[in-house]
Each structure stands twice: as structure tokens, then as C-alpha cells.
């Protein structure tokens, strides 16, 4: 059977050896001689419990000690339940991830961010695929752009060994609602941007347009856009 150390956490009754104490209750607090406080507790058939020994004078409550311990445990349990544990969830890509796999992982990333977790997305380059690191950067920048409503970029794509990492943090709750006019304007801008990106990506996939060189250009443009967005958030 485990020992309940909480029973010995507080001094009670004759264990309290100071000259005077501050007795707190729902109606307020009063400084009085310790002997008087002990007599009051005895008259009520409960205990004098020292709850703040470092105060001047120490703070006590007149309460049944078992009830007091129960209240403390219950309060600690409620506080623990309210604590938000932030985890870092990983999303792994290959440099040439297909669209179906990309959308599947994008969905999971949205769920992670909505739950308040951080996301570390990375592209793993196996063997000679490291030659196509620009494609991995384009993929991660697209990933960050598709998640801009759910998370903010903490660290732009960076190559560490054979992996290129992107770090995203969930956006804080309680952001002020936008007006309908602002939302309509943003929708028009987003539609126009998506149409432009699709056009550029189509050109990039055409061998005659240089392939890898085109991807690098997309990467540079996307990098600049995300960097500008990050700077605006900092301001």
C-alpha cells in the first residue's frame, strides 16, 4: 500500500507553534493568537490547518483536515485536466509525393494544428534524390501555404543532412472575426493566386520549360511570399 504523503504536507493543530496566525474563511481573514484559533477549531469539532507557512503571520484555515485534503486533491486533478499538452506531430514526405498522398497528409496536419499541436513536416531524400532538393522545398512551401488558416510558420524549410524540415505552430484561438467584405476580398485573391500557381506548376512540369529550373523559381517566389507573411505577423 502506498503512503499518502499529502497527509504530512501541512501542519495542523498543536503542530503549529507560532505565536499568532491569520485565519481565513469565506467571510474574510483575521489575525489572532494561535491558542485562540485552536480553541475555535476545537469548539467546532474540526482542525486548524496551516496552508501558507511562509506568510507573516502564517495563514491557517479552520476546517476538517480530511475534507481539506480531499479539496486539494480535487483541485489539483482539475488543474491537471485543464493543462494543454502540446505535442510535436511529424509528417513525412518524399521529394516526389503524389497528390493523393499529399492531400491525405495535409488533412492530418490540419487536425493536428486544430488540436493545438505543433507540426514538423519534412522531406526525406534517399540516395541521389538529394539532387532534387528544390522540389522538396517547393512541396514544403506549398504545404505551409495550404495550412496558413490553421498554423503559422515557426521555421522556414531548411536542409539538415538528408532531411528538409518545416516547423508549424497552431494559430492562437480568439482571433477577431473578419468582416464579410474582407472575407470576400480574400477569397477572390486566393482564387486568383491558386489559378496562377496551377498555371506555373503546369509550366514547370513541361520538359521544354526547364523542369528543375522552373521548380527552383517557384521555390524562390513561394519563399519570398511566406517570408513577407511571417514578417507581417511579427510586426
Amino acid at each position: 500500500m502506498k503512503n499518502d504523503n499529502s497527509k504530512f504536507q501541512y501542519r495542523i493543530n498543536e503542530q503549529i507553534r507560532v505565536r499568532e496566525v491569520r485565519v481565513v474563511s469565506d467571510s474574510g481573514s483575521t489575525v489572532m493568537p494561535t491558542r485562540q484559533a485552536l480553541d475555535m477549531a476545537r469548539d467546532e469539532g474540526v482542525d486548524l490547518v496551516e496552508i501558507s507557512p511562509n506568510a507573516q503571520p502564517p495563514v491557517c484555515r479552520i476546517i476538517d483536515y480530511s475534507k481539506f485534503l480531499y479539496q486539494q486533491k480535487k483541485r489539483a486533478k482539475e488543474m491537471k485536466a485543464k493543462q494543454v499538452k502540446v505535442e510535436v506531430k511529424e509528417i513525412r514526405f518524399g521529394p516526389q509525393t503524389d497528390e493523393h498522398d499529399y492531400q491525405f497528409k495535409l488533412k492530418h496536419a490540419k487536425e493536428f494544428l486544430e488540436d493545438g499541436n505543433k507540426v514538423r513536416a519534412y522531406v526525406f531524400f534517399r540516395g541521389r534524390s538529394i539532387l532534387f532538393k528544390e522540389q522538396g522545398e517547393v512541396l514544403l512551401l506549398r504545404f505551409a501555404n495550404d495550412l496558413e488558416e490553421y498554423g503559422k510558420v515557426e521555421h522556414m524549410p531548411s536542409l539538415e543532412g538528408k532531411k528538409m524540415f518545416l516547423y508549424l505552430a497552431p494559430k492562437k484561438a480568439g482571433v477577431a472575426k473578419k468582416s464579410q467584405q474582407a472575407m470576400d476580398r480574400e477569397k477572390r485573391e486566393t482564387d486568383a493566386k491558386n489559378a496562377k500557381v496551377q498555371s506555373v506548376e503546369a509550366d514547370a512540369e513541361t520538359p521544354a520549360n526547364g523542369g528543375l529550373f522552373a521548380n527552383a523559381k517557384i521555390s524562390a517566389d513561394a519563399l519570398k511570399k511566406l517570408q513577407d507573411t511571417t514578417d507581417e505577423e511579427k510586426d
Side-chain angles (χ1 to χ4, degrees):
M1 183 176 180
K2 295 183 179 179
N3 294 327
D4 189 354
N5 294 327
S6 61
K7 290 184 177 180
F8 308 102
Q9 185 176 354
Y10 303 92
R11 285 194 288 263
I12 63 171
N13 300 328
E14 281 73 17
Q15 296 173 356
I16 305 172
R17 302 183 182 278
V18 295
R19 180 177 298 179
E20 62 180 13
V21 294
R22 179 181 296 276
V23 178
V24 296
S25 63
D26 294 338
S27 59
S29 66
T30 305
V31 176
M32 63 179 69
T34 304
R35 178 51 54 188
Q36 180 183 348
L38 285 168
D39 290 341
M40 291 175 61
R42 191 177 297 110
D43 291 342
E44 295 182 23
V46 291
D47 304 292
L48 182 67
V49 182
E50 185 182 60
I51 60 175
S52 184
N54 296 325
Q56 295 296 329
V59 178
C60 298
R61 286 190 64 185
I62 295 176
I63 188 174
D64 180 85
Y65 190 41
S66 297
K67 180 180 179 180
F68 172 76
L69 290 177
Y70 172 77
Q71 290 176 345
Q72 293 297 102
K73 289 181 180 179
K74 183 178 179 181
R75 186 176 296 110
K77 186 176 181 180
E78 290 174 348
M79 290 179 64
K80 184 177 181 180
K82 291 180 180 179
Q83 289 179 344
V84 178
K85 185 178 180 181
V86 177
E87 298 182 2
V88 178
K89 303 291 187 177
E90 283 196 344
I91 301 289
R92 171 176 169 167
F93 293 101
Q96 296 179 336
T97 299
D98 62 48
E99 184 64 22
H100 180 269
D101 191 31
Y102 175 85
Q103 293 298 332
F104 178 78
K105 294 178 178 180
L106 180 66
K107 177 183 176 182
H108 280 289
K110 289 178 180 178
E111 293 173 353
F112 293 150
L113 292 169
E114 287 179 331
D115 289 340
N117 297 309
K118 293 186 177 183
V119 170
R120 178 171 60 188
Y122 69 93
V123 179
F124 179 69
F125 300 97
R126 189 187 303 274
R128 294 178 60 83
S129 66
I130 192 68
L131 298 174
F132 304 100
K133 59 181 181 292
E134 290 85 357
Q135 292 182 0
E137 184 176 10
V138 169
L139 187 151
L140 290 177
L141 291 173
R142 176 191 174 189
F143 192 65
N145 187 61
D146 290 343
L147 291 169
E148 61 182 351
E149 294 183 8
Y150 303 88
K152 58 183 179 180
V153 176
E154 278 194 334
H155 194 286
M156 297 295 287
S158 61
L159 187 63
E160 300 176 21
K162 293 184 177 181
K163 296 179 180 179
M164 181 175 288
F165 290 95
L166 169 75
Y167 294 86
L168 298 167
K171 285 193 173 180
K172 294 181 179 179
V175 178
K177 292 184 178 179
K178 299 177 182 178
S179 66
Q180 186 62 45
Q181 182 178 3
M183 290 190 292
D184 291 342
R185 182 179 65 252
E186 289 184 359
K187 184 177 185 303
R188 290 194 298 270
E189 292 174 351
T190 300
D191 291 342
K193 178 179 64 177
N194 289 339
K196 185 175 181 180
V197 169
Q198 290 174 3
S199 174
V200 173
E201 288 180 344
D203 291 341
E205 292 175 356
T206 303
N209 287 333
L212 191 59
F213 175 77
N215 275 340
K217 183 178 184 303
I218 297 172
S219 172
D221 293 342
L223 178 64
K224 183 177 185 304
K225 174 187 177 298
L226 273 178
Q227 189 63 56
D228 292 343
T229 302
T230 304
D231 293 341
E232 291 176 1
E233 289 182 353
K234 290 181 179 179
D235 294 340

